Amino acid sequence: MSHVKLILQEDVPSLGDAGEVVTVKPGYARNYLIPQGKALIATDAKVRELEHHRRVVAEKVARALKGLQAERKKLHGVELEFTAQAGEEGKLFGSVTSAQIAERLAERGFEVDRRKIVLAEAIKQLGEYEVAVRLHSDVEATIKVKVNAAV
């Protein structure tokens, strides 16, 4: 019994991830993978095209990471100060959220999406905090956030 080489178009559990070249039995390919649009027959031209596409994507990702590394160096060590009303024992009336931090960063020229600012929960106490800014899954910067009491 021969096997068929396919290029997966999407992730298939227990078979492989999108873009991989896999070998399966002809019935599985003919009756399920190809009609469902989950795979294409792997001709030499399509395999070469896939390899070229992978190289192009890898180069694009490398350029983007280099830019994000530079952004990380600029962001690293940035200090933001917030003034908020606080009660006894330094507890804030309200909180400092990731949206407010993103807004302050924008004022300083850093366009950062609030969802990239890593806060387990909003800051509700006076003090200094180290806040992570995840620019990419591999690139993370740390900024300082100071929360002072309003006079």
PDB file of all heavy atoms in Angstrom, residues 30-57:
ATOM      1  N   ARG A  30      -7.733  11.312   0.424  1.00  0.00           N
ATOM      2  CA  ARG A  30      -8.794  11.454  -0.583  1.00  0.00           C
ATOM      3  C   ARG A  30     -10.163  11.702   0.060  1.00  0.00           C
ATOM      4  O   ARG A  30     -10.960  12.489  -0.443  1.00  0.00           O
ATOM      5  CB  ARG A  30      -8.836  10.185  -1.435  1.00  0.00           C
ATOM      6  CG  ARG A  30      -9.846  10.187  -2.542  1.00  0.00           C
ATOM      7  CD  ARG A  30      -9.789   8.908  -3.375  1.00  0.00           C
ATOM      8  NE  ARG A  30     -10.058   7.725  -2.557  1.00  0.00           N
ATOM      9  CZ  ARG A  30      -9.166   6.752  -2.308  1.00  0.00           C
ATOM     10  NH1 ARG A  30      -7.967   6.801  -2.836  1.00  0.00           N
ATOM     11  NH2 ARG A  30      -9.488   5.731  -1.560  1.00  0.00           N
ATOM     12  N   ASN A  31     -10.449  11.058   1.191  1.00  0.00           N
ATOM     13  CA  ASN A  31     -11.787  11.121   1.783  1.00  0.00           C
ATOM     14  C   ASN A  31     -11.955  12.193   2.860  1.00  0.00           C
ATOM     15  O   ASN A  31     -13.081  12.588   3.160  1.00  0.00           O
ATOM     16  CB  ASN A  31     -12.167   9.763   2.374  1.00  0.00           C
ATOM     17  CG  ASN A  31     -12.251   8.700   1.308  1.00  0.00           C
ATOM     18  OD1 ASN A  31     -12.674   8.964   0.185  1.00  0.00           O
ATOM     19  ND2 ASN A  31     -11.830   7.493   1.652  1.00  0.00           N
ATOM     20  N   TYR A  32     -10.851  12.635   3.462  1.00  0.00           N
ATOM     21  CA  TYR A  32     -11.012  13.584   4.565  1.00  0.00           C
ATOM     22  C   TYR A  32     -10.186  14.860   4.391  1.00  0.00           C
ATOM     23  O   TYR A  32     -10.723  15.960   4.339  1.00  0.00           O
ATOM     24  CB  TYR A  32     -10.651  12.906   5.892  1.00  0.00           C
ATOM     25  CG  TYR A  32     -10.740  13.839   7.079  1.00  0.00           C
ATOM     26  CD1 TYR A  32     -11.963  14.327   7.521  1.00  0.00           C
ATOM     27  CD2 TYR A  32      -9.597  14.266   7.737  1.00  0.00           C
ATOM     28  CE1 TYR A  32     -12.044  15.200   8.592  1.00  0.00           C
ATOM     29  CE2 TYR A  32      -9.663  15.132   8.809  1.00  0.00           C
ATOM     30  CZ  TYR A  32     -10.892  15.598   9.235  1.00  0.00           C
ATOM     31  OH  TYR A  32     -10.966  16.460  10.294  1.00  0.00           O
ATOM     32  N   LEU A  33      -8.867  14.725   4.314  1.00  0.00           N
ATOM     33  CA  LEU A  33      -7.999  15.902   4.352  1.00  0.00           C
ATOM     34  C   LEU A  33      -8.189  16.838   3.156  1.00  0.00           C
ATOM     35  O   LEU A  33      -8.336  18.052   3.326  1.00  0.00           O
ATOM     36  CB  LEU A  33      -6.529  15.476   4.451  1.00  0.00           C
ATOM     37  CG  LEU A  33      -6.147  14.788   5.759  1.00  0.00           C
ATOM     38  CD1 LEU A  33      -4.723  14.266   5.675  1.00  0.00           C
ATOM     39  CD2 LEU A  33      -6.298  15.723   6.936  1.00  0.00           C
ATOM     40  N   ILE A  34      -8.197  16.304   1.951  1.00  0.00           N
ATOM     41  CA  ILE A  34      -8.323  17.158   0.758  1.00  0.00           C
ATOM     42  C   ILE A  34      -9.731  17.747   0.630  1.00  0.00           C
ATOM     43  O   ILE A  34      -9.868  18.957   0.444  1.00  0.00           O
ATOM     44  CB  ILE A  34      -7.873  16.406  -0.512  1.00  0.00           C
ATOM     45  CG1 ILE A  34      -6.369  16.103  -0.398  1.00  0.00           C
ATOM     46  CG2 ILE A  34      -8.165  17.217  -1.761  1.00  0.00           C
ATOM     47  CD1 ILE A  34      -5.817  15.208  -1.480  1.00  0.00           C
ATOM     48  N   PRO A  35     -10.810  16.954   0.749  1.00  0.00           N
ATOM     49  CA  PRO A  35     -12.152  17.561   0.625  1.00  0.00           C
ATOM     50  C   PRO A  35     -12.458  18.605   1.708  1.00  0.00           C
ATOM     51  O   PRO A  35     -13.179  19.562   1.453  1.00  0.00           O
ATOM     52  CB  PRO A  35     -13.112  16.374   0.769  1.00  0.00           C
ATOM     53  CG  PRO A  35     -12.315  15.167   0.519  1.00  0.00           C
ATOM     54  CD  PRO A  35     -10.899  15.500   0.857  1.00  0.00           C
ATOM     55  N   GLN A  36     -11.915  18.424   2.907  1.00  0.00           N
ATOM     56  CA  GLN A  36     -12.154  19.374   3.996  1.00  0.00           C
ATOM     57  C   GLN A  36     -11.284  20.628   3.854  1.00  0.00           C
ATOM     58  O   GLN A  36     -11.403  21.552   4.656  1.00  0.00           O
ATOM     59  CB  GLN A  36     -11.856  18.715   5.350  1.00  0.00           C
ATOM     60  CG  GLN A  36     -12.787  17.580   5.715  1.00  0.00           C
ATOM     61  CD  GLN A  36     -14.150  18.091   6.131  1.00  0.00           C
ATOM     62  OE1 GLN A  36     -14.269  19.119   6.780  1.00  0.00           O
ATOM     63  NE2 GLN A  36     -15.193  17.365   5.748  1.00  0.00           N
ATOM     64  N   GLY A  37     -10.373  20.630   2.895  1.00  0.00           N
ATOM     65  CA  GLY A  37      -9.498  21.785   2.697  1.00  0.00           C
ATOM     66  C   GLY A  37      -8.382  21.861   3.715  1.00  0.00           C
ATOM     67  O   GLY A  37      -7.763  22.900   3.895  1.00  0.00           O
ATOM     68  N   LYS A  38      -8.100  20.753   4.374  1.00  0.00           N
ATOM     69  CA  LYS A  38      -7.067  20.733   5.403  1.00  0.00           C
ATOM     70  C   LYS A  38      -5.680  20.469   4.825  1.00  0.00           C
ATOM     71  O   LYS A  38      -4.685  20.660   5.503  1.00  0.00           O
ATOM     72  CB  LYS A  38      -7.392  19.683   6.464  1.00  0.00           C
ATOM     73  CG  LYS A  38      -8.657  20.015   7.245  1.00  0.00           C
ATOM     74  CD  LYS A  38      -8.938  18.974   8.299  1.00  0.00           C
ATOM     75  CE  LYS A  38     -10.234  19.216   9.007  1.00  0.00           C
ATOM     76  NZ  LYS A  38     -10.224  20.357   9.892  1.00  0.00           N
ATOM     77  N   ALA A  39      -5.609  20.000   3.543  1.00  0.00           N
ATOM     78  CA  ALA A  39      -4.313  19.671   2.949  1.00  0.00           C
ATOM     79  C   ALA A  39      -4.375  19.779   1.434  1.00  0.00           C
ATOM     80  O   ALA A  39      -5.448  19.749   0.832  1.00  0.00           O
ATOM     81  CB  ALA A  39      -3.902  18.262   3.359  1.00  0.00           C
ATOM     82  N   LEU A  40      -3.189  19.918   0.844  1.00  0.00           N
ATOM     83  CA  LEU A  40      -3.014  19.916  -0.609  1.00  0.00           C
ATOM     84  C   LEU A  40      -2.006  18.829  -0.964  1.00  0.00           C
ATOM     85  O   LEU A  40      -1.113  18.539  -0.168  1.00  0.00           O
ATOM     86  CB  LEU A  40      -2.444  21.253  -1.097  1.00  0.00           C
ATOM     87  CG  LEU A  40      -3.260  22.508  -0.876  1.00  0.00           C
ATOM     88  CD1 LEU A  40      -2.422  23.733  -1.238  1.00  0.00           C
ATOM     89  CD2 LEU A  40      -4.505  22.467  -1.734  1.00  0.00           C
ATOM     90  N   ILE A  41      -2.104  18.276  -2.159  1.00  0.00           N
ATOM     91  CA  ILE A  41      -1.121  17.288  -2.597  1.00  0.00           C
ATOM     92  C   ILE A  41       0.214  18.006  -2.770  1.00  0.00           C
ATOM     93  O   ILE A  41       0.286  19.093  -3.352  1.00  0.00           O
ATOM     94  CB  ILE A  41      -1.563  16.612  -3.904  1.00  0.00           C
ATOM     95  CG1 ILE A  41      -2.836  15.791  -3.629  1.00  0.00           C
ATOM     96  CG2 ILE A  41      -0.465  15.730  -4.472  1.00  0.00           C
ATOM     97  CD1 ILE A  41      -3.449  15.160  -4.844  1.00  0.00           C
ATOM     98  N   ALA A  42       1.280  17.403  -2.263  1.00  0.00           N
ATOM     99  CA  ALA A  42       2.606  18.027  -2.255  1.00  0.00           C
ATOM    100  C   ALA A  42       3.340  17.745  -3.553  1.00  0.00           C
ATOM    101  O   ALA A  42       4.050  16.763  -3.672  1.00  0.00           O
ATOM    102  CB  ALA A  42       3.410  17.541  -1.058  1.00  0.00           C
ATOM    103  N   THR A  43       3.180  18.626  -4.520  1.00  0.00           N
ATOM    104  CA  THR A  43       3.966  18.524  -5.747  1.00  0.00           C
ATOM    105  C   THR A  43       5.301  19.223  -5.507  1.00  0.00           C
ATOM    106  O   THR A  43       5.448  19.992  -4.542  1.00  0.00           O
ATOM    107  CB  THR A  43       3.243  19.205  -6.924  1.00  0.00           C
ATOM    108  OG1 THR A  43       3.097  20.596  -6.623  1.00  0.00           O
ATOM    109  CG2 THR A  43       1.874  18.587  -7.175  1.00  0.00           C
ATOM    110  N   ASP A  44       6.283  18.976  -6.370  1.00  0.00           N
ATOM    111  CA  ASP A  44       7.598  19.604  -6.198  1.00  0.00           C
ATOM    112  C   ASP A  44       7.491  21.127  -6.211  1.00  0.00           C
ATOM    113  O   ASP A  44       8.129  21.814  -5.421  1.00  0.00           O
ATOM    114  CB  ASP A  44       8.548  19.151  -7.313  1.00  0.00           C
ATOM    115  CG  ASP A  44       8.967  17.689  -7.145  1.00  0.00           C
ATOM    116  OD1 ASP A  44       8.855  17.177  -6.017  1.00  0.00           O
ATOM    117  OD2 ASP A  44       9.400  17.089  -8.147  1.00  0.00           O
ATOM    118  N   ALA A  45       6.674  21.663  -7.115  1.00  0.00           N
ATOM    119  CA  ALA A  45       6.513  23.114  -7.210  1.00  0.00           C
ATOM    120  C   ALA A  45       5.910  23.694  -5.929  1.00  0.00           C
ATOM    121  O   ALA A  45       6.355  24.735  -5.441  1.00  0.00           O
ATOM    122  CB  ALA A  45       5.638  23.473  -8.405  1.00  0.00           C
ATOM    123  N   LYS A  46       4.907  23.029  -5.382  1.00  0.00           N
ATOM    124  CA  LYS A  46       4.260  23.533  -4.166  1.00  0.00           C
ATOM    125  C   LYS A  46       5.207  23.453  -2.970  1.00  0.00           C
ATOM    126  O   LYS A  46       5.199  24.332  -2.106  1.00  0.00           O
ATOM    127  CB  LYS A  46       2.975  22.762  -3.885  1.00  0.00           C
ATOM    128  CG  LYS A  46       1.851  23.147  -4.818  1.00  0.00           C
ATOM    129  CD  LYS A  46       0.588  22.419  -4.475  1.00  0.00           C
ATOM    130  CE  LYS A  46      -0.511  22.773  -5.475  1.00  0.00           C
ATOM    131  NZ  LYS A  46      -1.704  21.988  -5.273  1.00  0.00           N
ATOM    132  N   VAL A  47       6.026  22.399  -2.911  1.00  0.00           N
ATOM    133  CA  VAL A  47       6.986  22.270  -1.813  1.00  0.00           C
ATOM    134  C   VAL A  47       8.030  23.388  -1.907  1.00  0.00           C
ATOM    135  O   VAL A  47       8.377  24.006  -0.896  1.00  0.00           O
ATOM    136  CB  VAL A  47       7.653  20.876  -1.821  1.00  0.00           C
ATOM    137  CG1 VAL A  47       8.807  20.821  -0.829  1.00  0.00           C
ATOM    138  CG2 VAL A  47       6.623  19.802  -1.484  1.00  0.00           C
ATOM    139  N   ARG A  48       8.529  23.686  -3.119  1.00  0.00           N
ATOM    140  CA  ARG A  48       9.490  24.783  -3.300  1.00  0.00           C
ATOM    141  C   ARG A  48       8.856  26.121  -2.913  1.00  0.00           C
ATOM    142  O   ARG A  48       9.473  26.950  -2.257  1.00  0.00           O
ATOM    143  CB  ARG A  48       9.982  24.830  -4.746  1.00  0.00           C
ATOM    144  CG  ARG A  48      11.059  23.814  -5.067  1.00  0.00           C
ATOM    145  CD  ARG A  48      11.753  24.120  -6.386  1.00  0.00           C
ATOM    146  NE  ARG A  48      10.816  24.240  -7.504  1.00  0.00           N
ATOM    147  CZ  ARG A  48      10.407  23.221  -8.271  1.00  0.00           C
ATOM    148  NH1 ARG A  48      10.843  22.001  -8.037  1.00  0.00           N
ATOM    149  NH2 ARG A  48       9.566  23.434  -9.272  1.00  0.00           N
ATOM    150  N   GLU A  49       7.614  26.317  -3.316  1.00  0.00           N
ATOM    151  CA  GLU A  49       6.895  27.547  -2.981  1.00  0.00           C
ATOM    152  C   GLU A  49       6.739  27.682  -1.470  1.00  0.00           C
ATOM    153  O   GLU A  49       6.906  28.767  -0.904  1.00  0.00           O
ATOM    154  CB  GLU A  49       5.524  27.524  -3.657  1.00  0.00           C
ATOM    155  CG  GLU A  49       4.706  28.770  -3.442  1.00  0.00           C
ATOM    156  CD  GLU A  49       3.343  28.681  -4.107  1.00  0.00           C
ATOM    157  OE1 GLU A  49       3.219  28.055  -5.173  1.00  0.00           O
ATOM    158  OE2 GLU A  49       2.388  29.244  -3.518  1.00  0.00           O
ATOM    159  N   LEU A  50       6.427  26.579  -0.808  1.00  0.00           N
ATOM    160  CA  LEU A  50       6.273  26.578   0.647  1.00  0.00           C
ATOM    161  C   LEU A  50       7.594  26.946   1.328  1.00  0.00           C
ATOM    162  O   LEU A  50       7.610  27.758   2.263  1.00  0.00           O
ATOM    163  CB  LEU A  50       5.789  25.206   1.123  1.00  0.00           C
ATOM    164  CG  LEU A  50       5.669  25.011   2.623  1.00  0.00           C
ATOM    165  CD1 LEU A  50       4.518  25.856   3.154  1.00  0.00           C
ATOM    166  CD2 LEU A  50       5.443  23.552   2.953  1.00  0.00           C
ATOM    167  N   GLU A  51       8.699  26.368   0.866  1.00  0.00           N
ATOM    168  CA  GLU A  51      10.010  26.675   1.445  1.00  0.00           C
ATOM    169  C   GLU A  51      10.356  28.150   1.244  1.00  0.00           C
ATOM    170  O   GLU A  51      10.860  28.804   2.156  1.00  0.00           O
ATOM    171  CB  GLU A  51      11.096  25.794   0.819  1.00  0.00           C
ATOM    172  CG  GLU A  51      10.975  24.329   1.187  1.00  0.00           C
ATOM    173  CD  GLU A  51      11.012  24.085   2.678  1.00  0.00           C
ATOM    174  OE1 GLU A  51      11.809  24.735   3.390  1.00  0.00           O
ATOM    175  OE2 GLU A  51      10.216  23.250   3.148  1.00  0.00           O
ATOM    176  N   HIS A  52      10.067  28.687   0.065  1.00  0.00           N
ATOM    177  CA  HIS A  52      10.318  30.104  -0.203  1.00  0.00           C
ATOM    178  C   HIS A  52       9.476  30.977   0.729  1.00  0.00           C
ATOM    179  O   HIS A  52       9.973  31.953   1.309  1.00  0.00           O
ATOM    180  CB  HIS A  52      10.000  30.430  -1.671  1.00  0.00           C
ATOM    181  CG  HIS A  52      10.099  31.885  -1.986  1.00  0.00           C
ATOM    182  ND1 HIS A  52      11.305  32.551  -2.012  1.00  0.00           N
ATOM    183  CD2 HIS A  52       9.151  32.820  -2.238  1.00  0.00           C
ATOM    184  CE1 HIS A  52      11.089  33.824  -2.280  1.00  0.00           C
ATOM    185  NE2 HIS A  52       9.788  34.012  -2.428  1.00  0.00           N
ATOM    186  N   HIS A  53       8.225  30.627   0.880  1.00  0.00           N
ATOM    187  CA  HIS A  53       7.321  31.381   1.756  1.00  0.00           C
ATOM    188  C   HIS A  53       7.834  31.362   3.196  1.00  0.00           C
ATOM    189  O   HIS A  53       7.803  32.386   3.888  1.00  0.00           O
ATOM    190  CB  HIS A  53       5.912  30.793   1.670  1.00  0.00           C
ATOM    191  CG  HIS A  53       4.909  31.513   2.496  1.00  0.00           C
ATOM    192  ND1 HIS A  53       4.506  32.803   2.225  1.00  0.00           N
ATOM    193  CD2 HIS A  53       4.242  31.134   3.620  1.00  0.00           C
ATOM    194  CE1 HIS A  53       3.623  33.182   3.140  1.00  0.00           C
ATOM    195  NE2 HIS A  53       3.448  32.193   3.990  1.00  0.00           N
ATOM    196  N   ARG A  54       8.309  30.209   3.656  1.00  0.00           N
ATOM    197  CA  ARG A  54       8.858  30.112   5.020  1.00  0.00           C
ATOM    198  C   ARG A  54      10.063  31.034   5.198  1.00  0.00           C
ATOM    199  O   ARG A  54      10.204  31.683   6.223  1.00  0.00           O
ATOM    200  CB  ARG A  54       9.272  28.676   5.325  1.00  0.00           C
ATOM    201  CG  ARG A  54       8.146  27.783   5.705  1.00  0.00           C
ATOM    202  CD  ARG A  54       8.660  26.436   6.131  1.00  0.00           C
ATOM    203  NE  ARG A  54       7.571  25.531   6.410  1.00  0.00           N
ATOM    204  CZ  ARG A  54       7.699  24.235   6.502  1.00  0.00           C
ATOM    205  NH1 ARG A  54       8.872  23.668   6.325  1.00  0.00           N
ATOM    206  NH2 ARG A  54       6.658  23.478   6.776  1.00  0.00           N
ATOM    207  N   ARG A  55      10.962  31.068   4.189  1.00  0.00           N
ATOM    208  CA  ARG A  55      12.136  31.932   4.281  1.00  0.00           C
ATOM    209  C   ARG A  55      11.731  33.400   4.339  1.00  0.00           C
ATOM    210  O   ARG A  55      12.274  34.173   5.132  1.00  0.00           O
ATOM    211  CB  ARG A  55      13.072  31.692   3.091  1.00  0.00           C
ATOM    212  CG  ARG A  55      13.946  30.459   3.220  1.00  0.00           C
ATOM    213  CD  ARG A  55      15.064  30.461   2.181  1.00  0.00           C
ATOM    214  NE  ARG A  55      14.568  30.540   0.810  1.00  0.00           N
ATOM    215  CZ  ARG A  55      14.167  29.497   0.080  1.00  0.00           C
ATOM    216  NH1 ARG A  55      14.199  28.288   0.599  1.00  0.00           N
ATOM    217  NH2 ARG A  55      13.750  29.671  -1.170  1.00  0.00           N
ATOM    218  N   VAL A  56      10.770  33.788   3.512  1.00  0.00           N
ATOM    219  CA  VAL A  56      10.302  35.175   3.485  1.00  0.00           C
ATOM    220  C   VAL A  56       9.709  35.559   4.838  1.00  0.00           C
ATOM    221  O   VAL A  56      10.009  36.628   5.396  1.00  0.00           O
ATOM    222  CB  VAL A  56       9.276  35.389   2.351  1.00  0.00           C
ATOM    223  CG1 VAL A  56       8.580  36.730   2.482  1.00  0.00           C
ATOM    224  CG2 VAL A  56       9.950  35.257   1.002  1.00  0.00           C
ATOM    225  N   VAL A  57       8.887  34.686   5.395  1.00  0.00           N
ATOM    226  CA  VAL A  57       8.266  34.953   6.698  1.00  0.00           C
ATOM    227  C   VAL A  57       9.334  35.032   7.793  1.00  0.00           C
ATOM    228  O   VAL A  57       9.282  35.913   8.655  1.00  0.00           O
ATOM    229  CB  VAL A  57       7.196  33.883   7.029  1.00  0.00           C
ATOM    230  CG1 VAL A  57       6.755  33.968   8.472  1.00  0.00           C
ATOM    231  CG2 VAL A  57       6.005  34.039   6.098  1.00  0.00           C
TER     232      VAL A  57
END
